[in-house]
Amino acid sequence: MKLQQMKLKEELHLKEKAKRFKEQELLKETRRKQKEERMRKLKRTKQELQEDIMETRSTITSLDKALEHEDIHHRHKHKGNAERRVLPNPPLMLKPSVPKFSDPTQFRGWKIEIESMIRSEIYQKDILKQCVRNAISGEPRKVLSTLKATATLENILSTMESNFGDVKSGQSIMEEFYQARQNKDEDITSWGIRIEEMIQRALEKGEIQENKKDEILRTKYWKYLRNSELNNATGVFFENSLTFEELRKRVRREEQEMTVSQERKEHTKQINTMQLDQQFRILNDLTEKLQSMQKQLDILTKEKVARKDNRSENVTRDYKRYDNRPQSGNRRTFSRGRGYSGNRGPYRGRQPFPQDVYHRDSNYQHHLNGNQL
């Protein structure tokens, strides 16, 4: 039994050691994946920055060439005048990267991109107009057939606005804003973008003033957060009168910390569950082994009792056979140096007395017990 217990303890120790090793390997694998994800993000950011740098350098080079050309032209035309004038709209030949427009529901975002390109004054309007026409596809492209070939960029945007623009009134937009709630499957980033987009539409319609935009947004954003725990944890930021952007940043940071904490709790809970399952399996194995050992012990006990009963029956049968043997009378035969030898057996020269039989039976039974031990 002690040997079995030592073996079971050794097996338990080995299993615990294997479990700790698996946990360490799992932790290393998780850290490795997180590191790889960070590296991928950094490489992606680096590539985007390099592309931005290349585009900026190209723009700067084009601007330098245009300025140099204009300067040379100006000096050649006005040699006596030392003043240099820079045209407000230099004739750049850069080709703009206009986003594709095929989904009417995405018109507002597409329109904002085009207006931003127009206000930048980096691209020539004729080139930008042609790129905009080429970027329109699908159902919206049918609108171009209603325009003249000489239609300006402003005419194209105005026609698109009348066909795919927002026709809701400012009051309807504000009613939609006040009724908005964070959806169950909507994260806080999407929630903030949705209400901010509605406020911007209302602002364009002239329903609200620019100076009230931030207060309305921050109140709506924080008040109707679906996660009550996150709402309570970020209440101090709302009360400190932070701007909408600062409040959103603090809420996102708090949510990230809560997510990390929740993941740690779930990981710990999972490890505890695994430990309990493993201990339960070990306990079951020990129980089965103890039951098996108990069965073997019962079998050995029964076999021992059976052997003891058989030997007792054999001894009784031998005694009966000895006591019932045929007697040859009371003849007394004497031999040299032996005395009475009328019978053969362990009691030579005399008949066995009862006490002799008792001592013989006791010695034989003791001898049997010694063999069994």
Side-chain angles (χ1 to χ4, degrees), residues 85-91 120-122:
R85 293 181 301 170
V86 179
L87 294 177
N89 189 14
S120 67
E121 298 182 355
I122 297 176

Short mmCIF file of all heavy atoms in Angstrom, two decimals, residues 85-91 120-122:
data_model
loop_
_atom_site.label_atom_id
_atom_site.label_comp_id
_atom_site.label_asym_id
_atom_site.label_seq_id
_atom_site.Cartn_x
_atom_site.Cartn_y
_atom_site.Cartn_z
N ARG A 85 5.83 87.36 -57.82
CA ARG A 85 4.44 87.04 -57.51
C ARG A 85 4.22 85.56 -57.77
O ARG A 85 4.72 85.02 -58.75
CB ARG A 85 3.49 87.87 -58.37
CG ARG A 85 3.53 89.34 -58.05
CD ARG A 85 2.55 90.09 -58.92
NE ARG A 85 2.89 89.91 -60.33
CZ ARG A 85 2.10 90.29 -61.32
NH1 ARG A 85 0.93 90.86 -61.05
NH2 ARG A 85 2.48 90.10 -62.58
N VAL A 86 3.45 84.95 -56.90
CA VAL A 86 3.13 83.52 -57.01
C VAL A 86 1.66 83.40 -57.35
O VAL A 86 0.80 83.95 -56.65
CB VAL A 86 3.43 82.75 -55.70
CG1 VAL A 86 3.06 81.28 -55.85
CG2 VAL A 86 4.90 82.91 -55.34
N LEU A 87 1.35 82.72 -58.43
CA LEU A 87 -0.04 82.52 -58.80
C LEU A 87 -0.77 81.69 -57.76
O LEU A 87 -0.19 80.74 -57.20
CB LEU A 87 -0.12 81.82 -60.17
CG LEU A 87 0.40 82.64 -61.36
CD1 LEU A 87 0.33 81.81 -62.62
CD2 LEU A 87 -0.41 83.92 -61.53
N PRO A 88 -2.03 82.01 -57.48
CA PRO A 88 -2.77 81.26 -56.44
C PRO A 88 -3.08 79.83 -56.87
O PRO A 88 -3.28 78.97 -56.02
CB PRO A 88 -4.05 82.07 -56.26
CG PRO A 88 -4.20 82.81 -57.55
CD PRO A 88 -2.82 83.11 -58.03
N ASN A 89 -3.13 79.57 -58.13
CA ASN A 89 -3.49 78.22 -58.60
C ASN A 89 -2.49 77.77 -59.66
O ASN A 89 -2.73 77.90 -60.86
CB ASN A 89 -4.90 78.22 -59.18
CG ASN A 89 -5.38 76.80 -59.47
OD1 ASN A 89 -4.77 75.85 -59.00
ND2 ASN A 89 -6.44 76.68 -60.24
N PRO A 90 -1.32 77.27 -59.26
CA PRO A 90 -0.30 76.89 -60.24
C PRO A 90 -0.78 75.70 -61.06
O PRO A 90 -1.48 74.83 -60.55
CB PRO A 90 0.91 76.52 -59.37
CG PRO A 90 0.33 76.17 -58.04
CD PRO A 90 -0.88 77.03 -57.88
N PRO A 91 -0.41 75.65 -62.32
CA PRO A 91 -0.89 74.58 -63.20
C PRO A 91 -0.15 73.27 -62.95
O PRO A 91 0.77 72.91 -63.70
CB PRO A 91 -0.59 75.14 -64.60
CG PRO A 91 0.59 76.03 -64.41
CD PRO A 91 0.45 76.62 -63.04
N SER A 120 -8.22 71.95 -51.61
CA SER A 120 -6.76 71.89 -51.47
C SER A 120 -6.04 72.66 -52.58
O SER A 120 -4.90 73.10 -52.39
CB SER A 120 -6.29 70.44 -51.47
OG SER A 120 -6.51 69.83 -52.73
N GLU A 121 -6.69 72.79 -53.75
CA GLU A 121 -6.13 73.51 -54.90
C GLU A 121 -4.79 72.93 -55.35
O GLU A 121 -3.91 73.63 -55.87
CB GLU A 121 -5.96 75.00 -54.59
CG GLU A 121 -7.29 75.70 -54.29
CD GLU A 121 -7.11 77.18 -54.05
OE1 GLU A 121 -5.94 77.62 -54.02
OE2 GLU A 121 -8.11 77.87 -53.88
N ILE A 122 -4.59 71.66 -55.11
CA ILE A 122 -3.37 70.99 -55.55
C ILE A 122 -3.49 70.51 -56.99
O ILE A 122 -2.53 70.52 -57.75
CB ILE A 122 -3.05 69.81 -54.61
CG1 ILE A 122 -2.77 70.32 -53.19
CG2 ILE A 122 -1.87 69.01 -55.12
CD1 ILE A 122 -2.54 69.23 -52.18
#
